[in-house]
Amino acid sequence: MPPRTLIQFFHWYTQDGGRHWDEVADKSASLAGIGITDVWLPPAGKGAAGGYSVGYDAYDLFDLGEFDQKGTVATKYGDRAALERACAALRDAGLRVIHDVVFNHKMGGDQTEQVRVRRVNADNRTEIEDEAFEARAYTRFTFPGRNGAHSKFIWDARCFSGVDHLDEPNENGVFKLVNDYGDGEWNAEVDEELGNFDYLMGSDIEFRNNAVYEELKYWGRWLAEQLPVDGFRLDAAKHIPAWFFRDWVGHMRESVADDLFVVAEYWHPDMTALQTYLDRVDHQLALFDVALHHRFHEASCAGDAFDMRTIFDGSLVAVSPDRAVTIVANHDTQALQAMEAPVETWFRPLAYALILLRDAGVPCVFYPDLYGARYKDTGGDGETHEVEMPPIDGLEKLIEARQRFAHGPQTDLFDDPHAIGFIRHGTGDAPGCVVLLTNAGDATKVFDLGPDHAGAGFRDYLGHCEEEIWSDDEGRLTARVNGGSVSVWVRSDAF
């Protein structure tokens, strides 16, 4: 297989109407053609918002668009038959299928139950009131539209550790359910933000309940019997005890395939927190490089005031390259979303060059960056905003360049605060490339390629620089790049 290259084939505002699975199928061959190897699909289960759900308001994991629940049979993305066709098309194109796993919570309960709860300080979740009181909450999930198909498991209050809404009394907040697990405390081995970040939203799943633990393992095995499964993206990992995903991933590799690719969303820029998590899960999975994304955001906002030599400082790919999935953007960081930190459009080609063409990390391309997107939503200011995300200039060529030219050992030339570059030296079977980028004005840099490249012609694969340039008799190449841009110089005879 060529170098692993993911695409997140959706965004928060993917169009409603049930046509997305069809688009996956239609674009599968072209994705493979440009060098994508793995396709991360949106959550396929039925969400509480039915046909309008992005999928993270998980209601029924066993309803893949098959049953009339939450006002619809199909999900936002299409019905089960269309999902099956999409996955088959991906496999036919030689692409691996990555499924989004939403285990942290459930939403849209079918019935209320009488429960005992304790109020929690939302700003410090370790502060739980001693006094418990009776209330009613939507903690019973019976899935009447599915009527026991695929799984007869009924979720009730014993399956959850907390809620954020009480029906009687009508009250919002964070409430710890009184149950038989943990002596009234939240789960351990979660992120320490807010004291203990076990609770996020909805009906928070109680992983210490062995029946729940087994049901979630069963769902993973069941999914692999229904659809092609080559890997998983694990949602909200910082809110789920690390021991659970350590066990669950191990179980999936034993029961489904030992080479499953797994990446967890542990949204934290601190390397100590990420290294602790990787240790707790026995380094069985990769993590998204949140710190690098933030560096890209900062660099794009600072312009030529940012020192490009420091672009990888504090990043996961710099300290644990074999456990880093590198991103420029995702559905949570796009404009108008909860963790909004967009990388400015001018910098995105530079950022993609830095994740696609280097030898460390697994890059993940974001759907709107390849295909564009337009949407509107209400911002934090209460106003409606229209957002247009144009396709990133040269991104398709950069993905192609990863497969064609990003081979062999790497030599960095991070010797200037604005213009940085690196050489991929190639192998006996595959050519290399010279990458030069700058956050300031036009720039040149001398690259020592060695005598094997003496007197060779080179062209910019991206077409930003139109001329052909030549190395000298000792294999030194003076490459150039336009201001605020990136060029990928490859030998003319490999072009």
Side-chain angles (χ1 to χ4, degrees):
M1 290 288 289
R4 190 184 294 270
T5 309
L6 278 70
I7 184 170
Q8 179 182 353
F9 202 87
F10 66 100
H11 61 104
W12 194 264
Y13 299 95
T14 294
Q15 190 172 2
D16 301 331
R19 297 287 300 167
H20 191 67
W21 298 141
D22 293 337
E23 184 185 3
V24 172
D26 292 344
K27 287 189 164 69
S28 57
S30 63
L31 288 171
I34 64 173
I36 295 294
T37 62
D38 296 61
V39 178
W40 162 18
L41 299 176
K46 188 69 59 68
Y52 301 98
S53 169
V54 178
Y56 295 106
D57 55 342
Y59 167 66
D60 187 357
L61 297 176
F62 287 95
D63 183 356
L64 305 177
E66 185 179 2
F67 303 99
D68 189 355
Q69 300 191 110
K70 299 304 176 185
T72 180
V73 173
T75 70
K76 173 188 180 83
Y77 309 110
D79 62 15
R80 173 171 170 155
L83 172 60
E84 292 173 349
R85 290 193 299 270
C87 291
L90 292 172
R91 276 288 185 83
D92 289 345
L95 296 167
R96 291 176 287 232
V97 185
I98 309 298
H99 295 274
D100 206 319
V101 176
V102 186
F103 278 171
N104 179 72
H105 53 268
K106 285 190 175 294
M107 302 179 79
D110 298 301
Q111 299 170 11
T112 63
E113 293 181 294
Q114 191 76 12
V115 296
R116 287 179 57 78
V117 297
R118 298 157 66 195
R119 290 186 178 87
V120 179
N121 181 352
D123 297 321
N124 184 349
R125 307 295 173 76
T126 63
E127 296 181 1
I128 305 172
E129 292 185 359
D130 292 333
E131 183 179 351
F133 62 96
E134 299 288 327
R136 295 197 70 84
Y138 276 95
T139 51
R140 187 168 176 82
F141 292 73
T142 60
F143 316 113
R146 182 157 56 81
N147 195 28
H150 306 316
S151 170
K152 298 186 183 304
F153 192 87
I154 298 297
W155 295 70
D156 60 23
R158 295 169 295 178
C159 302
F160 303 107
S161 62
V163 294
D164 57 6
H165 175 72
L166 303 178
D167 193 57
E168 296 177 17
N170 186 3
E171 185 176 342
N172 295 321
V174 178
F175 305 94
K176 182 74 181 70
L177 287 165
V178 176
N179 61 24
D180 296 330
Y181 311 99
D183 293 325
E185 302 298 323
W186 298 108
N187 275 279
E189 292 194 15
V190 297
D191 194 77
E192 295 179 357
E193 186 178 348
L194 302 178
N196 177 297
F197 219 172
D198 180 359
Y199 187 82
L200 176 63
M201 64 176 71
S203 296
D204 189 70
I205 288 179
E206 179 55 89
F207 296 95
R208 294 169 293 194
N209 181 328
N210 190 63
V212 169
Y213 176 86
E214 293 299 330
E215 176 72 356
L216 295 177
K217 289 197 297 184
Y218 167 67
W219 175 83
R221 299 192 305 272
W222 172 84
L223 184 72
E225 294 170 355
Q226 314 303 308
L227 300 167
V229 172
D230 298 296
F232 300 102
R233 179 263 186 188
L234 308 179
D235 183 58
K238 67 190 288 186
H239 308 283
I240 295 172
W243 60 260
F244 171 79
F245 271 143
R246 180 198 64 213
D247 292 357
W248 190 84
V249 171
H251 180 71
M252 289 303 102
R253 290 209 170 105
E254 290 176 359
S255 58
V256 177
D258 60 7
D259 61 348
L260 289 173
F261 178 79
V262 183
V263 56
E265 180 219 18
Y266 195 106
W267 203 257
H268 205 304
D270 180 70
M271 288 305 104
T272 300
L274 297 189
Q275 291 289 357
T276 298
Y277 184 78
L278 287 171
D279 289 343
R280 286 173 170 171
V281 297
D282 294 339
H283 292 257
Q284 293 185 79
L285 48 80
L287 299 174
F288 290 107
D289 196 341
V290 180
L292 182 60
H293 162 74
H294 284 298
R295 295 293 284 168
F296 289 157
H297 169 67
E298 293 163 7
S300 74
C301 295
D304 62 7
F306 187 89
D307 188 339
M308 290 295 291
R309 295 171 297 187
T310 69
I311 192 69
F312 290 107
D313 286 4
S315 66
L316 182 63
V317 75
V319 296
S320 295
D322 59 337
R323 290 291 175 261
V325 173
T326 49
I327 62 170
V328 176
N330 73 5
H331 61 287
D332 286 323
T333 68
Q334 69 184 108
L336 304 181
Q337 276 307 293
M339 294 180 286
E340 177 178 350
V343 177
E344 298 296 326
T345 300
W346 76 271
F347 192 82
R348 289 193 179 212
L350 284 68
Y352 272 113
L354 289 169
I355 70 171
L356 286 166
L357 301 180
R358 294 177 62 78
D359 62 355
V362 174
C364 183
V365 175
F366 189 35
Y367 176 101
D369 288 339
L370 188 60
Y371 298 112
R374 178 181 293 177
Y375 58 89
K376 61 182 178 180
D377 199 356
T378 303
D381 58 2
E383 300 293 325
T384 299
H385 299 268
E386 187 165 333
V387 176
E388 183 167 1
M389 299 177 63
I392 299 305
D393 180 46
L395 179 54
E396 186 171 314
K397 298 287 283 185
L398 283 167
I399 299 169
E400 292 174 353
R402 172 174 173 80
Q403 305 302 338
R404 293 187 60 185
F405 307 114
H407 305 295
Q410 179 174 291
T411 300
D412 288 341
L413 280 82
F414 283 31
D415 55 359
D416 183 270
H418 303 302
I420 60 172
F422 54 93
I423 306 167
R424 297 300 302 274
H425 290 279
T427 67
D429 301 321
C433 61
V434 172
V435 181
L436 180 59
L437 53 96
T438 178
N439 67 348
D442 295 357
T444 61
K445 193 178 292 289
V446 178
F447 296 84
D448 190 351
L449 305 180
D452 289 346
H453 296 283
F458 288 78
R459 290 191 177 276
D460 180 5
Y461 189 69
L462 303 182
H464 295 157
C465 299
E466 297 180 354
E467 71 274 18
E468 185 174 22
I469 59 176
W470 299 83
S471 60
D472 66 16
D473 293 342
E474 296 182 352
R476 288 189 295 264
L477 180 73
T478 301
R480 79 173 188 89
V481 62
N482 297 327
S485 185
V486 56
S487 287
V488 180
W489 294 95
V490 301
R491 283 188 56 144
S492 302
D493 54 13
F495 199 90

